[in-house]
């Protein structure tokens, strides 16, 4: 049996080797980068199963070359770079993984709100100049902020991750509202979240957390018209997918003062080259898609991908099948 790993993210595959060798004695594990054309010709076409990072592109032309493959297990939630329809036609199952890092993403959202609210980086960066001009204590504060418990967090998408974000925010005493066409008012009431319309989610937000699915239907869902409804003091936080925000409109809104700013862990072009305008707008803070990372999430991600792959190899229905 040959297992093919296509990845440029992980530093080691100790867990993969340990798990696969225990389950399939004598298994051969081969690894490739995203530039795998030669490896496909040399050995990849013979793979019985594939473990692929979310950034690995596996188009229909590649899937057509696979002779023995029973399944492609993606390391993460995004599978838009896999031609799932071509895989289905060839009888190859595709899986992704969602919810494994809900706590980590929720922690990031809370951290982002505190980053904005307490201005630790800002005050730290100016403390020498402030102290030299006798700006200490209240004298160093240019504008007072409301406590987080006096503010409203608006969540777009109250799925598994959105519910954890809501629970974290409610524990801080925040008012939490949410827009989600697929979650009823009764279900939101049950978790202490107020159901609102799409427009009200923007209009009432002090902070807007984007937790929608990264599907094509949600492309540029957060656009100029939506941002025009927001308070000039409001912030957008995105840990979902970059495609959900019209980045040109966001840059324009921040520059114009329509909203205060944004904290983004995902952008449209990933990985970026460094020249993207979204990386160079004051008031927009971008982190390199790390909100999901922790010791616990990494292990859960790998274990679940391996579970999905094993079930596909054994002819069982995996729990995270997407095609």
């Amino acid at each position: 049996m040959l297992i093919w790993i296509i990845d440029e993210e992980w530093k080691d595959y100790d867990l993969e080797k340990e798990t696969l060798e225990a389950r399939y004695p004598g298994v051969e594990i081969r690894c490739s980068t995203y530039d795998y054309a030669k490896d496909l010709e040399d050995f990849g076409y013979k793979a019985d199963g594939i473990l692929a990072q979310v950034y690995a592109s596996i188009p229909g032309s590649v899937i057509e070359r696979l002779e023995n493959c029973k399944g492609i297990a993606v390391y993460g939630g995004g599978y838009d770079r896999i031609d799932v329809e071509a895989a289905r036609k060839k009888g190859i199952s595709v899986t992704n993984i969602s919810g494994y890092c809900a706590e980590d993403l929720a922690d990031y959202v809370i951290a982002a709100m505190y980053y904005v609210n307490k201005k630790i980086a800002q005050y730290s960066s100016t403390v020498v100049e402030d102290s030299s001009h006798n700006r200490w204590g209240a004298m160093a504060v240019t504008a007072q902020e409301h406590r987080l418990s006096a503010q409203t967090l608006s969540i777009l998408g109250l799925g598994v991750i959105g519910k954890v974000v809501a629970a974290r925010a409610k524990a801080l005493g925040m008012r939490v509202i949410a827009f989600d066409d697929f979650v009823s008012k009764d279900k939101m009431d049950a978790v202490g979240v107020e159901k609102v319309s799409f427009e009200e989610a923007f209009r009432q937000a002090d902070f807007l957390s984007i937790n929608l699915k990264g599907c094509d239907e949600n492309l540029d869902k957060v656009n100029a018209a939506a941002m025009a409804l927001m308070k000039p003091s409001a912030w957008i936080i995105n840990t979902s997918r970059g495609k959900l925000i019209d980045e040109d409109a966001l840059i324009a809104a921040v520059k114009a003062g329509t909203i205060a700013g944004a904290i983004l862990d995902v952008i449209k072009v990933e990985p970026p080259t460094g020249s993207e305008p979204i990386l160079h707008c004051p008031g927009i803070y971008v982190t390199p898609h790390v909100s999901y990372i922790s010791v616990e999430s990494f292990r859960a991600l790998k274990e679940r991908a391996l579970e999905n792959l094993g079930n596909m190899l054994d002819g069982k229905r995996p729990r995270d099948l997407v095609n």
Side-chain angles (χ1 to χ4, degrees):
M1 178 180 290
L2 172 62
I3 303 301
W4 188 17
I5 300 176
I6 306 174
D7 169 53
E8 292 181 7
E9 293 282 300
W10 306 153
K11 292 183 174 67
D12 66 71
Y13 305 104
D14 293 343
L15 181 60
E16 286 86 346
K17 291 174 183 177
E18 177 186 341
T19 303
L20 291 168
E21 288 172 359
R23 189 164 182 169
Y24 307 106
V27 64
E28 181 183 4
I29 302 171
R30 303 288 296 271
C31 303
S32 299
T33 65
Y34 303 146
D35 183 15
Y36 59 77
K38 185 176 185 302
D39 289 348
L40 173 66
E41 298 296 326
D42 291 346
F43 61 84
Y45 71 95
K46 298 184 293 184
D48 295 282
I50 296 174
L51 287 162
Q53 191 56 257
V54 291
Y55 298 121
S57 176
I58 306 181
S61 58
V62 171
I63 288 170
E64 282 302 311
R65 291 294 322 281
L66 302 176
E67 296 181 357
N68 306 315
C69 189
K70 299 178 180 66
I72 301 171
V74 178
Y75 283 122
Y79 56 92
D80 52 302
R81 302 190 188 201
I82 312 294
D83 190 332
V84 294
E85 181 62 21
R88 186 189 64 79
K89 290 179 179 177
K90 193 153 175 92
I92 299 173
S93 299
V94 178
T95 61
N96 73 332
I97 307 168
S98 61
Y100 70 96
C101 58
E103 287 191 51
D104 306 279
L105 298 183
D107 287 346
Y108 182 97
V109 173
I110 300 302
M113 290 193 292
Y114 271 122
Y115 181 87
V116 169
N117 189 255
K118 303 310 291 184
K119 296 183 171 67
I120 293 173
Q122 174 185 319
Y123 287 131
S124 177
S125 67
T126 61
V127 69
V128 173
E129 181 183 353
D130 286 342
S131 59
S132 67
H133 290 84
N134 198 33
R135 293 193 294 264
W136 197 261
M139 296 293 291
V141 178
T142 56
Q144 295 183 25
E145 299 286 343
H146 288 289
R147 296 170 175 168
L148 284 185
S149 62
Q151 299 193 60
T152 296
L153 171 65
S154 180
I155 300 173
L156 296 185
L158 200 69
V160 173
I161 294 167
K163 286 187 177 71
V164 179
V165 172
R168 291 279 204 278
K170 286 184 63 62
L172 300 177
M174 297 185 75
R175 174 179 176 240
V176 181
I177 63 176
F179 162 78
D180 194 317
D181 281 333
F182 304 100
V183 180
S184 69
K185 181 180 183 301
D186 289 344
K187 288 184 178 178
M188 288 200 189
D189 288 342
V191 293
V193 176
E194 180 184 342
K195 184 178 177 69
V196 296
S197 67
F198 182 75
E199 291 76 16
E200 286 303 312
F202 285 84
R203 192 172 286 120
Q204 297 185 38
D206 291 304
F207 295 96
L208 181 81
S209 177
I210 302 175
N211 299 104
L212 292 167
K213 290 183 178 180
C215 56
D216 290 341
E217 289 77 9
N218 288 330
L219 177 66
D220 290 338
K221 187 85 169 179
V222 181
N223 54 28
M227 285 182 271
L229 300 172
M230 300 182 78
K231 304 173 185 178
S233 59
W235 285 76
I236 291 173
I237 304 167
N238 190 12
T239 57
S240 182
R241 287 293 179 268
K243 68 193 295 183
L244 302 179
I245 297 179
D246 181 335
E247 291 183 350
D248 290 338
L250 175 60
I251 292 169
V254 173
K255 286 183 175 180
T258 304
I259 64 172
I263 297 179
L264 313 174
D265 190 50
V266 287
I267 56 178
K268 279 190 171 175
V269 177
E270 292 190 21
T273 64
S275 63
E276 290 76 8
I278 197 72
L279 302 178
H280 301 279
C281 179
I284 297 178
Y285 300 90
V286 179
T287 54
H289 204 153
V290 293
S291 58
Y292 70 99
I293 294 176
S294 68
V295 171
E296 292 79 9
S297 70
F298 255 35
R299 185 166 187 91
L301 173 60
K302 288 195 169 195
E303 287 178 342
R304 198 151 144 195
L306 287 164
E307 176 191 337
N308 283 331
L309 181 65
N311 284 334
M312 290 186 285
L313 291 171
D314 294 347
K316 300 176 183 177
R317 182 182 177 86
R319 63 170 166 167
D320 300 303
L321 186 69
V322 298
N323 68 337

